[in-house]
Amino acid sequence: MRRPSPAFVLPRYFKSLISHILTDLEWKIIYVGSAESEEFDQILDSVLVGPVPAGRHMFIFQADAPNPSLIPETDAVGVTVVLITCTYHGQEFIRVGYYVNNEYPSPELRENPPLKPDFSQLQRNILASNPRVTRFHINWDNNMDRLEAIENQDPALGCGLPFSCAPIKGLGLPGCIPGLLPENSMDCI
């Protein structure tokens, strides 16, 4: 599979607003090889970042293309997903998904694709302009009582988390700023 043009590197910059975190955050880029089974997911890269002082941070996180021999032939052409995840103390608190369309650039190959995918002819197009962000409530300070209270809270009541541990939708990191929640995000408890 050919590498995408530089405009489609995953992601070019990932901006985060973080309160002081004393241990590393683990970031991963995962290529979903098949919607049918996680068995075909490929971790393209993983990096530990931290400790992270309070403030805005930017870093470049890019990875090589997935290994085509690990992608089922029936899933090689068409739409899939690339995920960027971040964990704190082994707890995933944010997942950013980008739709990816693997297609043949020539109209002839699109209309009459080979029986066996020709990875040298496939082009990967990443819809980087419309990521899907999912954030998860986690135990930021190892206080199980607080996490249990968060999980039992009525989401209609608004932001009930203390400022130090409420993830921002779209960033998934500590803070609570009303009106900063994009529509392409969702919360999971």
Side-chain angles (χ1 to χ4, degrees), residues 3-12 123-129:
R3 290 188 60 108
S5 67
F8 295 111
V9 173
L10 281 176
R12 293 187 103 185
Q123 181 175 337
R124 186 175 60 249
N125 297 305
I126 301 167
L127 184 57
S129 63

Side-chain angles (χ1 to χ4, degrees), residues 109-120:
L109 282 173
R110 277 198 300 265
E111 290 175 20
N112 297 305
L115 293 176
K116 183 174 177 144
D118 182 352
F119 287 97
S120 68

Side-chain angles (χ1 to χ4, degrees), residues 88-89 91-93 136-148 150-151 165:
Y88 177 71
H89 286 287
Q91 303 169 86
E92 182 180 0
F93 66 91
F136 305 91
H137 292 285
I138 67 166
N139 186 3
W140 288 98
D141 58 3
N142 293 326
N143 183 337
M144 291 308 292
D145 293 337
R146 181 180 293 167
L147 184 61
E148 207 170 286
I150 291 166
E151 290 174 349
C165 69

